Amino acid sequence: MNTYQAKIGYARTSTVEQNLDAQIAVLKEAGCGMVRTEQKSGTSLEGRPELKTILDFIHPGETLVVTRIDRLARSLSDLQAIVTHLKSKGAHLAATEQPVDTSTATGKAFFDMLGVFAEFETNLRRERQAEGIASAKQRGVYRGRKPKINLEAIQAKLIDGCLPTEIAREMRISRGTVYKAKAQMTLNHNGNGTAAS
């Protein structure tokens, strides 16, 4: 077999109850000499040894063939990672039911567009998150992240006469954090009309 024309099929269903036969038949008809299968969720690239084997051993000029892109990945970032890996190995990606074939000029543009769409998806997610936070703040229900450092505990140790370096070491925090707690304590005292010590 000429490895530069080899097609490797990948068929996947999310559960063992689903049947792989239709995908396998289509992939063989598309010229795949080998078809690897697995019945795992496509929400992550982890825990999919058959796909990992293909990606590890695919050769330059070979093509990974799926029936549909969602058989390969369910997120744009995962798909982009797979495509980037194939590109780095000089291999291609094709789908039998979608106009995807990265061995063509149009397909090469697909590589580039993936990056654009992934960035777009990330920006949309950040925008939605920012809008959600702004809306929660307007309603007075946004609390933000819970502080990881107990300022009151730091201030109590300061009042007891502990040195900032000792507190930082004991609480495993930076001295800067201790000084911030000390400064806040001073501000609070001043705000209450009490002279700072």
Side-chain angles (χ1 to χ4, degrees):
M1 177 190 288
N2 183 345
T3 57
Y4 287 88
Q5 296 178 350
K7 294 180 178 180
I8 302 165
Y10 177 71
R12 183 191 64 79
T13 60
S14 297
T15 65
V16 292
E17 287 80 19
Q18 294 171 297
N19 197 308
L20 286 161
D21 292 349
Q23 287 183 59
I24 293 169
V26 169
L27 292 170
K28 286 186 174 177
E29 191 177 331
C32 295
M34 175 197 305
V35 177
R36 289 190 171 270
T37 66
E38 54 195 352
Q39 295 179 294
K40 306 268 186 179
S41 170
T43 55
S44 170
L45 296 180
E46 298 298 318
R48 293 164 68 187
E50 295 299 325
L51 176 59
K52 185 178 185 307
T53 298
I54 294 172
L55 295 176
D56 284 348
F57 295 102
I58 197 165
H59 295 97
E62 292 184 335
T63 301
L64 169 57
V65 184
V66 290
T67 54
R68 296 181 60 83
I69 292 298
D70 62 1
R71 296 299 92 203
L72 199 57
R74 286 295 180 92
S75 77
L76 199 53
S77 57
D78 283 351
L79 180 58
Q80 187 182 24
I82 292 168
V83 170
T84 300
H85 179 79
L86 290 172
K87 185 178 181 181
S88 73
K89 299 196 80 170
H92 308 291
L93 171 65
T96 61
E97 297 176 19
Q98 294 165 320
V100 175
D101 183 353
T102 59
S103 66
T104 66
T106 304
K108 286 184 176 70
F110 173 73
F111 275 125
D112 300 327
M113 289 306 294
L114 273 179
V116 174
F117 286 129
E119 185 178 354
F120 179 64
E121 184 182 55
T122 300
N123 290 338
L124 277 180
R125 190 164 50 246
R126 286 178 184 157
E127 192 174 305
R128 284 194 298 268
Q129 185 180 21
E131 287 171 356
I133 290 171
S135 174
K137 283 181 176 177
Q138 281 183 343
R139 296 193 313 271
V141 296
Y142 180 70
R143 298 287 177 263
R145 291 184 180 176
K146 292 182 180 177
K148 294 180 180 178
I149 297 162
N150 187 336
L151 291 179
E152 289 179 3
I154 298 170
Q155 291 166 351
K157 289 180 183 294
L158 286 166
I159 291 167
D160 288 343
C162 294
L163 296 173
T165 304
E166 294 172 353
I167 297 170
R169 189 182 304 117
E170 183 183 332
M171 297 185 73
R172 295 182 180 178
I173 55 176
S174 70
R175 280 189 302 171
T177 302
V178 179
Y179 288 122
K180 280 180 188 175
K182 187 175 183 179
Q184 188 178 36
M185 202 165 71
T186 303
L187 284 172
N188 288 341
H189 286 167
N190 287 338
N192 292 331
T194 308
S197 55

